[in-house]
Amino acid sequence: MILKENTSQQKLRGAYYTPLSLAEKIAEYFKDDTSIKTVLEPSCGDGVFFDALINQKIITLLQNLTGIEIEKDETEKLSVKLSAYPNIQIQNADFFDFYQQNADKKRYDLILGNPPYIRYQYLSESQRGEMSEILTSHKMKSNKLINTWVAFVVACVHLLSENGKIAFVIPAEILQVAYAEDLRIYLSKNLSNITLLTFRDLVFPDIEQEIVVLIGEKTSEQKGIRIVELQDLDDLNIENIRAEEFQPLSNVQEKWTKYFTSKNETNLIASIKNDNRFQKLADCALINVGVTTGNNKYFSVNKDIAKKYDLESISLPLIGRSSHANSVYFEKADWEENVNKDKAAYLVNFPEVPFDSYSQEQKAYIKFGEETKQNKGYKCSIRENWYQIPSIWIPDAFFLRRNNLYPKFVLNCCGAISTDTMHRIKFNNGIAPEKVILSYYNSISFAFTEICGRSYGGGVLEILPGEVGNIVIPKLNSVPIKKVRAILKKVDEIVRADDDIEKALDLVDKEILVSEIGIEKSLCRCARTIWKKLQKRRLGRG
């Protein structure tokens, strides 16, 4: 975590100014809209959006433009810079205060800008209260994960006139993160048309922040949503954007990343969800985070440490990282191979017995942890005995949390445990574990994995327990277990050899989905296309 005292003033203010070329393209989008008379820029900074309106020769056609800026120095400089335009008013104010004073009084035909990206912990108490009020007054949840840009978007949509438009440069998090779910619902209810411009290249040269341009419109014609993916700013052509097709907004609680697919592909996804030959992974298993040790480095040890401190007898076999999972079946021999490669393959699990019951070597390891302050982390410090890990239970399988090409679904064959780098899977009673594992390795389920997960930076796919539960898998109830094991063994061989995983998908698509369940070949092909498209987009950010 970045502490406030070590954070630059720019980060604390969330002030990352928009490139003029992007602001000009946004202004150009509204150039011919004669219904726009009043404009608001809620965080105008150096005035780049006013510059864009001037350069596009729009500003003289507008009746009134209001700019809000919290920094007094910026306000004074901007007032001087724009003094030749009597229709522009620059106010030195906190936008949250401005909104509270004007929420029931003023409306604007166009609101545009780049709201500040400030984390909750960097806000003042009054700003936190104002942000919470904005969100809850619009029936949204307020929590410590929410960034200021979310409240800016909500407040500004509320300030739009009857046929108003909004254009904001915001983090691409709006597409997928859980804390923006309420915002996606809010926008879908309050805007008739939503356009999202995304960029394969980073737009801001100084920060590793993927952004999108949100263009929302209140009109009588309900069109839905469209996502337009561009290479960079040079690829941004207004005429081409306007020609892109809208898709109806369906099930607004879902992530908007699914709209990177075509209309036909989106319809296919919806049809699979309603197909009784499929089910969600959550329908057949409990999905939980791996063991939260509070200090993986201390509790995950290699064979030398385990031997030195007599920890082998009180440790569990550990599958600690994605590099430990090189198969579909995780067997004792796989664990022993990790041990022999000097990996941290033991999870230290001090039993709940009196301290004096431990061996001298085990006591020495606890003392070593205290001398090196391993016990001072929050989760360790709140335990009765900091060195005893709670909630230890052995899962039936593991599902990797962060992944590159695809997440592995691994059957636990040796009583192993995992840290929170993996999710623990416990199958429901009566479920054949091998059938569920095999049902994941196909084109359709891989497509849903990309849809349900999120890009975690560097092109990594992160998928949380609730998202794993939403992955759609085919039902293999009628498939003979003998055939399941034979096919799964071949999939295991492909994974162990680090071979192309599409070979496994080809096999399961053909032998299970098509031959056993009656899934159409065309459906499998389309699902493969969706998976590859979303995967390629994600990896392009690596």
Side-chain angles (χ1 to χ4, degrees), residues 320-332:
R321 298 185 178 183
S322 58
S323 61
H324 294 193
N326 299 310
S327 59
V328 172
Y329 292 100
F330 187 69
E331 299 171 330
K332 186 177 180 181

Side-chain angles (χ1 to χ4, degrees), residues 126-167:
S126 62
Q127 288 174 322
R128 292 176 183 179
E130 289 169 335
M131 185 168 78
S132 177
E133 172 62 25
I134 290 171
L135 298 174
T136 56
S137 66
H138 291 91
K139 298 180 172 56
M140 297 172 62
K141 294 184 289 293
S142 177
N143 60 53
K144 295 180 181 180
L145 296 175
I146 294 178
N147 197 295
T148 49
W149 66 266
V150 176
F152 266 73
V153 173
V154 172
C156 287
V157 169
H158 180 236
L159 290 173
L160 289 177
S161 60
E162 185 178 355
N163 293 300
K165 288 92 178 173
I166 185 171

Side-chain angles (χ1 to χ4, degrees), residues 122-387:
Y122 298 151
L123 298 175
S124 67
E125 284 300 322
S126 62
Q127 288 174 322
R128 292 176 183 179
E130 289 169 335
M131 185 168 78
S132 177
E133 172 62 25
I134 290 171
L135 298 174
T136 56
S137 66
H138 291 91
K139 298 180 172 56
M140 297 172 62
K141 294 184 289 293
S142 177
N143 60 53
K144 295 180 181 180
L145 296 175
I146 294 178
N147 197 295
T148 49
W149 66 266
V150 176
F152 266 73
V153 173
V154 172
C156 287
V157 169
H158 180 236
L159 290 173
L160 289 177
S161 60
E162 185 178 355
N163 293 300
K165 288 92 178 173
I166 185 171
F168 266 9
V169 179
I170 57 177
E173 294 169 353
I174 189 175
L175 297 167
Q176 57 184 10
V177 298
Y179 77 71
E181 180 179 290
D182 280 357
L183 177 61
R184 294 192 289 269
I185 295 172
Y186 174 80
L187 293 177
S188 67
K189 290 179 177 178
N190 289 276
L191 298 172
S192 53
N193 305 324
I194 297 171
T195 299
L196 289 162
L197 309 181
T198 74
F199 302 89
R200 298 184 187 94
D201 293 345
L202 291 174
V203 172
F204 288 86
D206 299 327
I207 57 171
E208 294 293 313
Q209 172 73 65
E210 183 187 351
I211 62 97
V212 301
V213 177
L214 165 71
I215 300 174
E217 303 176 74
K218 286 185 173 182
T219 67
S220 57
E221 186 180 5
Q222 188 85 26
K223 293 182 179 179
I225 188 172
R226 62 184 173 188
I227 296 182
V228 182
E229 191 169 17
L230 307 169
Q231 185 64 44
D232 51 30
L233 293 182
D234 293 336
D235 200 22
L236 205 168
N237 182 289
I238 300 301
E239 290 184 8
N240 292 345
I241 290 168
R242 291 192 181 280
E244 289 285 339
E245 186 180 21
F246 283 92
Q247 296 188 48
L249 264 173
S250 59
N251 194 347
V252 292
Q253 289 186 319
E254 293 183 336
K255 298 175 184 179
W256 283 355
T257 44
K258 75 174 187 177
Y259 295 109
F260 282 106
T261 57
S262 69
K263 191 172 183 179
N264 288 339
E265 290 168 342
T266 302
N267 291 337
L268 174 73
I269 292 165
S271 71
I272 292 172
K273 290 180 179 179
N274 295 320
D275 191 327
N276 60 15
R277 294 174 294 182
F278 294 89
Q279 63 184 340
K280 290 183 178 180
L281 189 51
D283 294 333
C284 53
L286 168 70
I287 304 155
N288 208 333
V289 293
V291 174
T292 303
T293 67
N295 187 331
N296 286 349
K297 186 177 180 180
Y298 176 81
F299 290 103
S300 305
V301 302
N302 62 16
K303 61 180 179 181
D304 291 337
I305 296 294
K307 186 174 182 179
K308 177 180 179 180
Y309 290 101
D310 187 27
L311 301 174
E312 291 172 301
S313 62
I314 59 167
S315 293
L316 294 169
L318 175 65
I319 179 169
R321 298 185 178 183
S322 58
S323 61
H324 294 193
N326 299 310
S327 59
V328 172
Y329 292 100
F330 187 69
E331 299 171 330
K332 186 177 180 181
D334 298 308
W335 174 72
E336 289 174 343
E337 183 178 349
N338 288 336
V339 170
N340 293 331
K341 287 182 177 178
D342 204 32
K343 293 181 179 179
Y346 296 86
L347 183 77
V348 182
N349 181 31
F350 285 102
E352 293 185 12
V353 297
F355 181 80
D356 289 339
S357 300
Y358 298 132
S359 68
Q360 292 301 315
E361 293 83 359
Q362 292 165 358
K363 291 177 184 177
Y365 193 63
I366 294 173
K367 185 177 180 181
F368 163 76
E370 293 169 348
E371 289 173 347
T372 56
K373 299 184 179 180
Q374 306 296 323
N375 59 327
K376 295 300 182 181
Y378 175 71
K379 290 177 181 176
C380 288
S381 66
I382 62 174
R383 297 172 187 161
E384 183 177 352
N385 293 314
W386 71 269
Y387 48 84

Side-chain angles (χ1 to χ4, degrees), residues 6 9 24 29 34 58 129 187 199 213 242 248 290 353 382 401 446 474 476 490 503 517-518:
N6 296 328
Q9 285 300 310
E24 287 180 334
Y29 190 90
T34 57
I58 302 173
L187 293 177
F199 302 89
V213 177
R242 291 192 181 280
V353 297
I382 62 174
R401 175 180 174 179
F446 268 41
L476 306 192
K490 292 179 181 179
K503 292 181 180 179
I517 304 176

